[in-house]
Amino acid sequence: MGKILQLFSHETQLIRALKGSDPKAQRVLYEKFSGKLMSVCLRYVGDRMTAEDILVQGFMKIFGSVSQFREEGSFEGWMRRIMVNEALAYLRQQRRILDNVGIEEATAVPDYTYADQNLEASEIMEMIGKLPFGYRTVFNLYAIEGFTHLEIAEMLGITESTSKSQLHRARAHLQKMMKEWEEAAKSGGDQNYGNNWSKSI
């Protein structure tokens, strides 16, 4: 693998080779980014086997459409968007995007700061993974991918107010889970936290 990587020491070389359907370049791309992009898929679907299927489909889409990449922005960002779209397509197919999600207007939920200093990034991501599908989807798109509420509304076929509502509710859920985490940590009950957590949502 090391020798193959040396063939594409610069991203522009790798992209050029990918546009020529070079199988070595495709292998390098997969080895380099599959871990990061798998995390993206997992954040949306929560199930590893399903995420792996989406990852494969996403890479096939990347290999098939790389000629459309104009090399004007981040190549990794372009690939992430393809993976997100593949995950959303799966959720739409399964009709799971708005499971357990009401479509009422946003209620007055405080804008919490959820990056608690005592929490590791992996713990925060685990909490996000415990959110209901609808909340999780909007939260991922807005807070992590950086889409606007207008863009999210167009992607999911909902209104902007619904997108805002689900973001507020996702933050409220996260705040509740963090409180429980803090209480469990103070009492030394980390082992029981997972059970309480699942009941709370």
Side-chain angles (χ1 to χ4, degrees):
M1 186 65 187
K3 291 182 179 179
I4 295 177
L5 281 171
Q6 290 174 11
L7 294 173
F8 310 107
S9 56
H10 298 288
E11 188 174 87
T12 52
Q13 294 175 327
L14 179 60
I15 294 172
R16 194 174 301 119
L18 288 167
K19 289 182 176 181
S21 301
D22 186 330
K24 290 180 181 178
Q26 292 175 347
R27 179 183 170 190
V28 168
L29 190 75
Y30 184 86
E31 292 291 336
K32 186 176 181 181
F33 290 104
S34 59
K36 286 183 180 180
L37 296 179
M38 178 65 174
S39 296
V40 172
C41 298
L42 275 170
R43 279 197 284 103
Y44 285 90
V45 300
D47 173 73
R48 180 162 290 276
M49 288 185 65
T50 302
E52 287 174 351
D53 289 341
I54 293 171
L55 180 72
V56 171
Q57 291 297 320
F59 266 105
M60 294 301 292
K61 185 73 65 69
I62 289 168
F63 296 150
S65 59
V66 68
S67 60
Q68 299 173 19
F69 179 65
R70 298 180 180 178
E71 302 182 39
E72 295 175 349
S74 165
F75 185 50
E76 182 177 346
W78 179 79
M79 289 191 294
R80 282 175 63 92
R81 182 151 190 160
I82 287 177
M83 287 296 171
V84 169
N85 286 336
E86 285 298 304
L88 293 180
Y90 169 80
L91 292 176
R92 278 193 294 269
Q93 184 181 20
Q94 301 297 314
R95 299 172 183 259
R96 300 190 74 174
I97 286 181
L98 295 180
D99 277 3
N100 302 318
V101 173
I103 58 173
E104 61 270 23
E105 297 294 314
T107 52
V109 180
D111 187 3
Y112 297 112
T113 300
Y114 39 81
D116 190 283
Q117 291 181 349
N118 296 320
L119 282 166
E120 298 290 339
S122 60
E123 291 168 334
I124 295 174
M125 295 309 295
E126 187 179 349
M127 289 183 182
I128 293 171
K130 293 290 185 180
L131 291 171
F133 271 98
Y135 298 174
R136 183 201 310 172
T137 302
V138 173
F139 184 89
N140 281 329
L141 290 171
Y142 184 89
I144 299 178
E145 306 298 344
F147 290 106
T148 65
H149 285 296
L150 176 59
E151 290 172 324
I152 294 169
E154 291 173 348
M155 293 168 78
L156 303 185
I158 59 178
T159 65
E160 282 187 76
S161 61
T162 298
S163 178
K164 292 175 183 178
S165 174
Q166 304 328 307
L167 178 64
H168 284 308
R169 292 170 186 276
R171 286 172 167 163
H173 270 265
L174 286 173
Q175 178 70 5
K176 182 179 180 181
M177 286 189 277
M178 285 180 183
K179 263 190 173 181
E180 292 180 356
W181 181 90
E182 289 173 357
E183 290 169 2
K186 287 177 183 177
S187 63
D190 290 331
Q191 292 180 346
N192 296 323
Y193 176 62
N195 295 329
N196 295 331
W197 202 7
S198 60
K199 292 177 183 176
S200 71
I201 60 173

